[in-house]
Amino acid sequence: MAVESSSSHQFMGRSRQSFLNQDISPDSSVKSRDWDTTSRWSEQSNPEIVSPSTSSNWKHTHSSTPPGNRNFQKARHMQWVFQLVDVAEGLMAKMYKLNQKLDYPEPNTFQFSDSFWKAGVIPNFPKLCMHITKKFPEHPGKLQLERVDKLGLDSLYENVEAYLENLEPWLMVPRKMIVQVYNLMHTMLRSGRDYEFYHRLVQFIDSYDPPLKGLHEDLNFVSPRIGEVLEAVGPIIFLAADTQKLRNEGFLSPFHPRYPDILTNSAHPMRAQDLANVNGHRDWVLLGYLVCPSELLRITGIDIAMAVLKENLVLSLYRDECILLHEEYQLYVLPKILESKKMAKAGRAKQKEADAEYNIAKQVEKMICDVHDQAISCAEGIHRERRILLKQEIGRMVLFFSDQPSLLAPNIQMVFSALALARSEVMWYFRHIGVVSVKSKATRIVPVEIDSSDPTIGFLLDGMDKLCCLVRKYVSAIRGYALAYLASAAERIRFLLGSPGMIALDIDAELRNLFQQVIGCLEKSPKPQGEHVSTATADLSDFRKNWLSVLMVVTSSRSSINIRHLEKATISTGKEGLVSEGNAAYVWSRSVDELEDQLSTHACVKQLYYYRQHLTVVFRNTMFGPEGRPQHCCAWLGVASSFPDNATVSVPEEFLKIGRDAVSYVESLIESIMGGLEGLINILDSESGFGSLESKLLPEQAAIRMNHAAKVAMPSSKSMKSNSDLPLPGNESEPANRDTIKMLEAAVQRLTSLCSVLNEMEPICILNHVFVLREYLRDCVLNNFRRRLITILKIDRDLQRPSVLESLVHRHMNIVHLVEQHVSMDLTQGMREVLLSEAFSGPIRGLHTFEKPVQNTGTAISIICDWYLENVVKDVNGAGILFTPIDKCFKSARPVGGYFAEAVTDLSELKAFVRLFGPYGVDKLDGMIREHLTALLNCIDTTLRSNKEYLEALSAHMHNSRERDYYLKQVHELEPLINFSIQAGQALCFTSLLAEAAGQVLDANTPLLFSLLSDFTKHLPASLPEREDIRRLKTLTNTLGVTTEHDIALVNSILLDMVGVGDVTWGLLPYLYATCMTSNIWNTSAFNVSTGGFNNNVHCLARCINAVIAASEFVRAERKELERQLLSQQQSNRNGTELKELEAELQNLEGITSVEVNIKASMKIFIKCASTIILQSWSDSNRSPLVAKLIFLDQLCELSNYLPRSTLEVHVPYAILRSIYQQYFENSVPTLVLISPSRRHSLGIPLSHVPSRNGQFYSDHTVESGEGATSSTLKFAAQRKSPLLDLESSSDADIKPIGGGVRLSGPLDYTGMRKVSFLDTPSSDGTSGPSPLRRFVMSRSGPITYK
């Protein structure tokens, strides 16, 4: 058993190496065999230690020191002590590893786990091994092992060399089974020859079984000296145990507690120095009374032991291996006390001393029995109070010395004491977590209650870290102060040596020589002068070596001069005696050249490595708790830097293992810290955070409150529900509602302080790993923003509105800007990169020529684009998506997820989408719609080619009604064609809105670029075929909404990639779409004035027809031009180059003009055929869809730039359309319903196909019929006066648009000058039947009278 003493490190330190290198020579009285044995143990346990017998320094000084020097003998003894400490360190490291490898066996119970046998150290023959262990110390060769396990013994003989090789490294860790098994295998291998040291090892193990038994016997002769030493440290033990006195007297305060005006507390300088070693004193007290029980019978022994035992339950042996302290005292100390009590009882009748010894033994017995229960119930409370004191005092120290750094050097010993006490409390806390003890008066097991969420641990670690930083920061000032103190100490010591008391003492020449060497070393120390203080590199190890030599001389029992003599001879001459002055100088000398060693001694928490699991748990429980401080995270992380210091050279593999564990610990804590950082950001970004403040400023809240106030103000209104759920802005500032603000303020404070600390923290270096917390913070913020963006994209499995998404992103960015103010990084640029990566899914068509890199990007934009494509463009959920030309958005009959379609397709929403995801997002969505359009156009191409034969016949017999009707019936797949075309038109509408939104955003944010693209598009030279760079630029401008002919350009770019487009078959496209006038879709089509479209999206068919017909002509012309150019290149170059260029330019202009002529011709063919089919198919039995078809043709003229209204006017008089629109606009509801239509209603424009909006009808007026015709009543929901009614009395020539070109009569703008007489128009089919148009002239029952 061995316990590391911090006091020995404090007083020896680097002097240990001084003694190792001291000029001494081997004495003849020392046996070389013992020295060689010690050296061999040192080499096996710790290879880095070099024996002094082989040291060059040792050999060099062989003749320089007289062999009879007494100082040499003491120095040699100290050198052995140092070497034995190193040997013990190496042996304990090996024992620790062996215990881990063997799964911590319990040899006394003879019960071993499976891991013990599978470790490979002991042969896996349990019967054989346990038998020879139980027979210890009998020789294994005499045990007749073949009777125990014959098969195991035979196997052992066969593999004895391998087993011996596995056991060899652990031979220096002697225990029963290892020694017995090793001796057995050695005997087998050497044919019965005995192991050399077997009997000595057996005797050693037997005498220390149990270990304390041998220690009691070995230390019996020095027990009184140990008792004296323990009595000497008693005052420091009592002082450290009295928390109230430490607080009241200000032992750890830089200013006097009773006199605040006195900044420097110099009342207890030596006590502050002694408190730095109190942890080692406690360990020595616990261990000293355990190995020397008789010393408890001293007068002060019981009080000293009581003060320490009531605060501790375990005694640390090595690393995390501890023993249950009170159980050991009851098992090994109590019997010795009872024995002394018994002996004293027998002799107390004769001697008074025996009676006093009996009483003391009785008190000690009671103390040992009662202190266990007291420790279980009170130890945690005592240490908790002490931790709170240290938390307060260290916090004050940090603030005080940061403000007054000049006072740090005079109080450096107080800083060391605070560091040592804080380290002791932290180690006590983690050593007692999970400790289970048995009460002395009960058999039940009681766990020690340790609060795993104690926030003081974080405060102590943080305070220790800050104090160490302050010491390192002002190290030059501390060195300067220490050197100044040593200079004055040299004068005081010289004065004391010349005092009358010292002269009266008979000091021998050797001791006087040592005093002179001490003074000489102090006087040779460098003198601090201004700026040269920090560069003073004084080595005061010689001074410390000489002073320790003085102490060894005066503390020797054989010396004629001891410490008491020196103190009494010099104490009257000043405040301190000679020994006190020398000890103080010794301590201050370490602040010159061993300052870092002192910090590592008093503030090192490297042993927390063995409690890293508990360390992680306590960190997570306290870091973001109500009393925790996020800024303490640096201290929790900083302890990992000292973890590799636990590795020893005797176990080389420990270094890498401890390093990996330290890295894992840091990564785990960083993960927790970043999780807490994300939590703070998300708290502020939640609806209960900054969202609760923003929601009170929304316009919707004001509108709701205004509506509520208006309803309350109405006298006839019933009692309204209170609007307390809509608090006014500023309501949170009221005293009753300040909790929310306080929560936000606390979260902001924690967030900013955590970011500041992480930004300023130095990198953590562990082995070859470097952890830079600033980079982790940056990655955490950006990754959290990325996850947050993906999370807020959808709400309840539905898409979030882009405007709301934009506001949420802005709110999150404001929080990041708050973080950015406390870190030296550009997080805004990082967030832009995140948005770019979430928007980038590939290069932009028409702009980039590189291919898409292989990386996982564009997650957010893919989610949004998929939703828009599936739910709006394709309408897979059947929500009744309709495009409303007037409002420029899509509407739905029922919600699409959580919103109606207009809430996510409005131009403002699309502009928010563009602002968020930029041109990459626009290109992604446009590309997906292009793919959808490509599939639809392929379906149209398939339908066109499958009906080619019938369409050719239809075009030839268009004027023959019988043949026309026949071939119209032969055209198949008409309904799918209309469905595909409507979908294509709907897709074109969406892309047009998207392009318009992109253009407006581009114009608002980069007007120069927008104007550049716009002007370039206007002045772009027209050519057939177009150059590749011009085509790419047109594609880009079309996507960004710069061009006007968006639909045609988009369809043209798609048709150029399709095979077969532009051939003869595509010339039949107008006839194919003309056949759509016979579809059943018109029976359910109703025009809506408020939307400017039909109830089934038929108006999107017009958009598709215009774009497809025009684009197909452009493709046909371009491909013909390509063929012509190919033929011309094959001809010989008989003409000059300039002539060829001129001819090419003229042909190009002619080609573009011819394309426009062809488009107008195709549109004219469509209008002519469609009008013919509409009017010829109309009859009294089938007149319902006539209105819808005529409005459809009028909308096509309004939409297309290649279809003038005069083309339609030739076939459909303007008066008919004007009458239709007038009837629609006259009514409050945009739908007109015929309640009781007359069978002979001669108006010829029945409106019964239009459904009612709300199902309620009121009789407003009656439309009179002609002679013999019954009246039919038209009812409307409510009257809304249309501006057209005011113009009924005026002539047609006086009808003009009002205000900004608003057409009051519908999409047409006809005047009286454009009237065309249709009375003399001959029949188009050549038959003798009456023309259907004459019915409009002859009828007088409708709203229009023709003359």
Side-chain angles (χ1 to χ4, degrees), residues 888-1108:
K888 285 189 177 181
C889 69
F890 288 83
K891 295 186 177 181
S892 59
R894 55 187 179 85
V896 183
Y899 305 99
F900 285 92
E902 56 267 28
V904 291
T905 59
D906 185 68
L907 194 60
S908 60
E909 298 293 332
L910 294 179
K911 287 166 66 176
F913 167 81
V914 175
R915 285 191 295 268
L916 273 175
F917 298 101
Y920 286 106
V922 173
D923 185 74
K924 172 67 176 179
L925 184 53
D926 183 75
M928 295 180 67
I929 298 177
R930 281 175 60 93
E931 295 177 359
H932 178 57
L933 272 173
T934 302
L936 295 175
L937 292 176
N938 282 324
C939 295
I940 295 174
D941 179 67
T942 303
T943 305
L944 179 63
R945 298 186 184 281
S946 63
N947 291 289
K948 177 182 178 181
E949 180 181 354
Y950 305 114
L951 293 176
E952 290 176 346
L954 179 64
S955 63
H957 301 85
M958 195 66 194
H959 301 290
N960 191 325
S961 60
R962 183 177 301 174
E963 296 292 334
R964 181 181 65 244
D965 294 342
Y966 171 77
Y967 288 112
L968 284 175
K969 294 178 181 179
Q970 298 300 318
V971 176
H972 55 275
E973 299 181 356
L974 192 59
E975 299 301 331
L977 172 66
I978 295 179
N979 186 24
F980 295 148
S981 301
I982 291 177
Q983 290 186 38
Q986 189 170 345
L988 290 172
C989 294
F990 189 87
T991 56
S992 177
L993 286 178
L994 182 63
E996 183 179 355
Q1000 292 183 11
V1001 173
L1002 185 65
D1003 188 18
N1005 293 276
T1006 55
L1008 181 61
L1009 178 61
F1010 182 83
S1011 62
L1012 178 65
L1013 292 175
S1014 179
D1015 294 343
F1016 180 80
T1017 304
K1018 293 177 182 178
H1019 301 88
L1020 194 66
S1023 62
L1024 283 177
E1026 293 179 338
R1027 286 164 34 191
E1028 182 63 26
D1029 53 348
I1030 294 179
R1031 180 175 298 172
R1032 288 175 47 228
L1033 186 57
K1034 281 188 174 181
T1035 303
L1036 176 64
T1037 56
N1038 188 56
T1039 304
L1040 298 179
V1042 179
T1043 59
T1044 55
E1045 295 290 341
H1046 172 271
D1047 296 350
I1048 298 176
L1050 177 59
V1051 176
N1052 181 34
S1053 63
I1054 296 175
L1055 294 181
L1056 284 173
D1057 298 331
M1058 294 175 57
V1059 180
V1061 177
D1063 57 6
V1064 181
T1065 306
W1066 276 78
L1068 301 173
L1069 191 62
Y1071 298 97
L1072 177 65
Y1073 277 118
T1075 61
C1076 295
M1077 298 298 106
T1078 62
S1079 172
N1080 295 327
I1081 195 173
W1082 302 103
N1083 297 330
T1084 58
S1085 300
F1087 181 72
N1088 194 329
V1089 175
S1090 62
T1091 63
F1094 291 88
N1095 63 337
N1096 54 1
N1097 259 350
V1098 174
H1099 51 281
C1100 293
L1101 176 63
R1103 198 153 191 159
C1104 176
I1105 292 174
N1106 174 61
V1108 172

Side-chain angles (χ1 to χ4, degrees), residues 876-893:
V876 294
N877 296 322
I881 301 294
L882 299 176
F883 176 70
T884 56
I886 291 181
D887 298 328
K888 285 189 177 181
C889 69
F890 288 83
K891 295 186 177 181
S892 59

